[in-house]
Each structure stands twice: as C-alpha cells, then as structure tokens.
Amino acid sequence: MSQVDDCVDIINQTIASFRPEVGLILGSGLGQFCDNINTIASLDFDSLPGFPVAGVGGHAGRLLFGKVEDTNVVVMQGRAHYYENGRADIMAVAIQTLSAIGCKSLVLTNAAGSLVKEASPGSVMLITDHINMTGVSPLFGAESNKRFVDMSDAYNPELNNNMRSSAKMNDITLHEGVYAWFSGPQFETPAEIKAVKTLGADAVGMSTVPEVILARHQGLPLCALSVITNYAAGMSATKLSHEQTIAFASKAADTVEKVLISYLKSL
Ligand code: HPA
C-alpha cells in the first residue's frame, strides 16, 4: 500500500462517513481560522505517513475535519516548505490524500511580501497566477503523461470570482496579482525583488506554488490568498524577519477569516 492509501485508511477510520468537500491549507499565523470550524475530528500530521512534520513557528501540524456553516471542510493547519529539506514534493502525500478523501477544491493561504505600494502590510491579495523562481517542480520523477500539467487557469477563474464576491460582501479590499515563488529560507535581496517586479510579480513568498502544481496534477481546482505581511526587500526601511511575518499575518487574520467564511458559505 502507498502512503496515500495508508493515510486514507487512517482518516476514514477517524472520520467515518464524514466527507470533506473543501480542503484548506493555512499559512503562517492564520491558524485562528480554525476557531470557526465545528470540529468533528483531528489528526496530527505525525500520525499520517508521508505528511510533513511542520517545523516553522506559526504552523501547528494538524489536520482538522468539520463544518463551517453547511460546508464540510478539512483544514491543514500548517504546511511544509521546500526549504525545510530541499525536496519540492514535501507536500505531495498531503495533497494527494486531500484529493483521495474526496475534496472537490482547495483554498491555499500564505504570508507574502508585497511588491506594490497599494497592497500594504495587513492587506490581502488574491493570487491570479504565479512565477516559479526556483527552477524545481514537485513533479520531478512523476511518471506518465499526466505529469505535463496545464498551468493556464491554475487559479480557478470561477473560484476566484467567488472569492472576489466574498470580499466585496464584507467591504474588504481584495488586491489581485502574481505571486513569485522563491526557495527561501533567506529573504530575497533588493536586486531579486527588482528583477521579479520587472518580470510581472506583485508578491513574493516561499510556499504555495508546489501545492498548486500538485493539486493541478490531481485535477483539483483551487484558489489562493496571500496575506501581505511586509513590503518586499528594498521597498521599506524595516528589516525582514519571520517574527514580523507572524505578527502581521495574525493582524490580518480577522480579514482573511471573514472572506473565507463567506467564500465557504457561497459554495
Ligand atoms: N519574502 C518571502 N517570503 C515572505 C515574505 C517576503 O518578503 N514575507 C512573508 N513571507
């Protein structure tokens, strides 16, 4: 049996007939969204073979099952990053498991640095496309022609519209833009930021893109939100730090929470 089969068995033993429709992955400092879940069960990542052992501050490393209003959800509270072990497929088993247990779509969230003045720290951006600056793929080594994944409309236009409406309903300004994925763990240099701005990026971060590629490989539609925690390197006098990321993500958590709840209601 594969690790995914094992995870599916463990999950099904835990949740019985409960069927999640939407999978959510919560980035740094956004764990408070889980207070809105009418939780029926939870599993630590370390009880699921192949799930990442979450190591970054602000990440809990737990899978929660439950309801938000009438929508059945499974939430990954915490994720793993390429920079943790240099393997871009660190989230592969997790994403394949979410698909195998019946999720029909995913919502990904992250903390990101902004490259545009209007999207200030504390604001939220809908990711409409990405640029992979790492040169790696979580599908290295994947077999069959299924690996040649179409990445146009990777961020699902219909789900994006639901997210736009949900922000509007709550009078929340939802910025939109292109997310550039850097490997980290070091923050970018000002020169790197200038370079990706020229290439068309609006935000930068160290996560999400591998999950997007893995989800599209599974045929899962998705949408993604960035919480802007800082202006990118060279754009302000403030020094970049993980502490700042967590602090600003927590500040924006209320905003993200409102948008996500309306979004889940709208499905
Ligand atoms: N760069 C990369 N990752 C980040 C940033 C940033 O400026 N802010 C939050 N995550």
Side-chain angles (χ1 to χ4, degrees):
M1 284 234 296
S2 70
Q3 286 184 317
V4 174
D5 292 336
D6 288 339
C7 290
V8 171
D9 277 357
I10 294 165
I11 290 169
N12 283 338
Q13 279 163 29
T14 309
I15 64 175
S17 64
F18 179 84
R19 283 288 146 250
E21 300 154 53
V22 184
L24 294 102
I25 300 181
L26 299 181
S28 303
L30 296 172
Q32 82 162 56
F33 171 76
C34 295
D35 299 344
N36 297 286
I37 303 171
N38 204 341
T39 307
I40 64 131
S42 76
L43 282 165
D44 287 339
F45 288 174
D46 57 15
S47 65
L48 296 163
F51 266 60
V53 180
V56 181
H59 288 245
R62 201 168 32 173
L63 208 52
L64 290 184
F65 299 87
K67 275 182 175 296
V68 176
E69 305 278 339
D70 287 332
T71 305
N72 287 2
V73 300
V74 52
V75 178
M76 278 189 81
Q77 199 180 2
R79 64 147 63 82
H81 307 79
Y82 173 49
Y83 60 71
E84 286 172 47
N85 65 359
R87 286 186 45 191
D89 66 352
I90 191 165
M91 290 287 280
V93 169
I95 299 288
Q96 287 164 22
T97 300
L98 294 184
S99 175
I101 61 174
C103 287
K104 301 281 177 279
S105 64
L106 296 185
V107 179
L108 310 172
T109 65
N110 64 33
S114 172
L115 274 65
V116 282
K117 274 270 136 49
E118 303 78 57
S120 54
S123 65
V124 184
M125 186 187 98
L126 178 71
I127 303 179
T128 53
D129 205 345
H130 74 230
I131 302 172
N132 179 352
M133 291 302 294
T134 67
V136 298
S137 167
L139 300 180
F140 285 166
E143 289 166 3
S144 94
N145 285 348
K146 201 182 143 204
R147 71 186 124 176
F148 301 111
V149 179
D150 181 2
M151 293 298 291
S152 28
D153 287 340
Y155 300 82
N156 186 274
E158 207 176 311
L159 299 181
N160 287 347
N161 277 339
N162 287 354
M163 206 56 97
R164 290 182 184 108
S165 312
S166 306
K168 205 166 186 184
M169 216 181 292
N170 290 284
D171 282 326
I172 287 164
T173 304
L174 187 62
H175 300 282
E176 297 196 12
V178 173
Y179 175 89
W181 176 37
F182 278 82
S183 73
Q186 74 287 349
F187 285 105
E188 301 72 31
T189 63
E192 285 167 343
I193 294 302
K194 245 193 213 168
V196 283
K197 189 162 172 71
T198 308
L199 294 177
D202 301 295
V204 281
M206 307 174 192
S207 69
T208 308
V209 167
E211 293 138 52
V212 169
I213 296 167
L214 289 162
R216 294 309 300 139
H217 187 229
Q218 296 302 309
L220 275 175
L222 63 95
C223 61
L225 294 177
S226 281
V227 172
I228 302 300
T229 54
N230 55 279
Y231 283 120
M235 291 180 63
S236 90
T238 315
K239 290 260 181 278
L240 303 185
S241 71
H242 188 62
E243 290 67 33
Q244 181 196 27
T245 300
I246 299 293
F248 269 90
S250 303
K251 271 191 198 167
D254 286 350
T255 314
V256 176
E257 201 173 310
K258 282 186 193 137
V259 178
L260 287 181
I261 291 169
S262 298
Y263 172 85
L264 292 169
K265 268 195 207 172
S266 76
L267 294 178

